[in-house]
Amino acid sequence: MSSITQALQFVNQEIQQALAKAHRPADAVDLLAVSKTKPLSDIASAYQAGQRSFGENYVQEGVDKIIESQQQSWLKEPIEWHFIGPLQSNKTRLVAEHFDWMQTLERAKIADRLAAQRPSNMAPLQVCIQVNISQEPAKSGVLLEDVFALAAHIAKQPALTLRGLMAIPQKLEQGQELATQFAAMQQKFSELQQQYSSVDTLSMGMSGDMQMAINNGSTMVRVGSAIFGQRN
Ligand SMILES: *Cc1c(COP(=O)(O)O)cnc(C)c1O
């Protein structure tokens, strides 16, 4: 068994244990495998072990892998590709034309560009609003109080489907403070769900804070190095 296959099994077991502890159903959380900087051969290993959704942070690197993957004989059913990095407005076309999901939407102008550039023969781009949960001015994402304004803007675009919220917590924060931020995300997610029937995704939790995120209603965890090994 390859080390990626083993690591993937281990992470999936951790998710199952966290769900059991949180008294949530076994299928309540999806695993997004974050493959940034890793070669397509690693993605192939994870795919062969059953993984179907992958996250990329750098637009051109992601697009190269998407196109290359589509020419591989091991690809039996499509991969779901998620863009999870910062996006400059001059790169929106590449995301609109190649990715299935855009998780780091934080500006109305970017939403407009993605909607205008989404090819009409593709399904709507599935989007999450990135929230700046630690409320630090230097961090990406919208403040919690601005989520509904951006949501209303996205909901007007037929080429975009609003799926929910995404957050990247600060690395150093631990314990109660992070739990408070996760709880605030869960609350906003629940309010958004009441208004928009398309909303079903709370993308929150990485290797170190998975249990806490799952306790607080996360429906998608994003894990990279615990599956593919450390990045250079
Ligand atoms: C890199 C990255 C991850 C995965 O991080 P690991 O520490 O490798 O598990 C998750 N989410 C986002 C947005 C990332 O950029």
Side-chain angles (χ1 to χ4, degrees):
M1 208 189 290
S2 86
S3 60
I4 289 175
T5 305
Q6 272 174 328
L8 202 50
Q9 278 187 3
F10 184 75
V11 171
N12 277 312
Q13 278 165 13
E14 282 189 316
I15 293 171
Q16 287 309 313
Q17 283 162 7
L19 280 167
K21 275 195 205 156
H23 306 289
R24 298 180 58 200
D27 61 354
V29 166
D30 291 324
L31 170 62
L32 182 70
V34 178
S35 45
K36 63 181 178 222
T37 79
K38 298 297 178 182
L40 189 62
S41 55
D42 284 0
I43 292 174
S45 300
Y47 182 94
Q48 274 147 0
Q51 182 64 28
R52 290 293 179 270
S53 54
F54 293 87
E56 291 283 338
N57 287 56
Y58 310 105
V59 186
Q60 192 59 57
E61 178 193 333
V63 168
D64 289 347
K65 288 181 199 169
I66 293 171
I67 292 172
E68 224 189 312
S69 73
Q70 286 161 351
Q71 296 154 1
Q72 305 299 311
S73 57
W74 49 260
L75 194 81
K76 307 294 182 211
E77 48 186 90
I79 289 176
E80 193 176 84
W81 292 98
H82 293 234
F83 187 73
I84 59 169
L87 183 62
Q88 295 171 319
S89 56
N90 63 347
K91 300 275 175 63
T92 51
R93 180 175 295 281
L94 285 167
V95 171
E97 291 183 348
H98 296 281
F99 281 84
D100 303 295
W101 283 65
M102 162 62 182
Q103 290 204 15
T104 45
L105 195 55
E106 53 169 357
R107 285 193 288 153
K109 180 187 162 199
I110 299 281
D112 292 343
R113 290 179 64 92
L114 289 168
Q117 293 166 345
R118 184 68 168 173
S120 56
N121 64 342
M122 289 177 83
L125 186 64
Q126 309 296 301
V127 307
C128 290
I129 295 173
Q130 184 177 356
V131 178
N132 179 355
I133 41 168
S134 49
Q135 316 258 335
E136 297 161 276
K139 287 200 74 178
S140 319
V142 304
L143 298 177
L144 276 172
E145 61 259 35
D146 298 329
V147 162
F148 269 87
L150 184 54
H153 194 86
I154 294 165
K156 279 189 252 163
Q157 305 277 7
L160 307 178
T161 300
L162 179 65
R163 296 295 294 272
L165 302 178
M166 178 268 201
I168 308 173
Q170 253 179 311
K171 274 222 168 54
L172 294 174
E173 255 166 331
Q174 286 295 334
Q176 192 52 39
E177 171 138 33
L178 188 55
T180 307
Q181 293 177 8
F182 279 172
M185 284 290 291
Q186 182 174 27
Q187 173 63 30
K188 187 62 72 176
F189 173 63
S190 147
E191 289 166 20
L192 204 60
Q193 269 190 309
Q194 281 159 32
Q195 183 145 344
Y196 297 101
S197 59
S198 59
V199 169
D200 59 3
T201 302
L202 181 55
S203 173
M204 178 169 93
M206 299 162 52
S207 319
D209 52 26
M210 212 154 74
Q211 176 75 58
M212 195 185 289
I214 289 175
N215 280 340
N216 286 283
S218 167
T219 72
M220 188 183 289
V221 292
R222 308 179 307 266
V223 179
S225 43
I227 299 171
F228 298 110
Q230 291 302 318
R231 291 177 291 274
N232 299 324

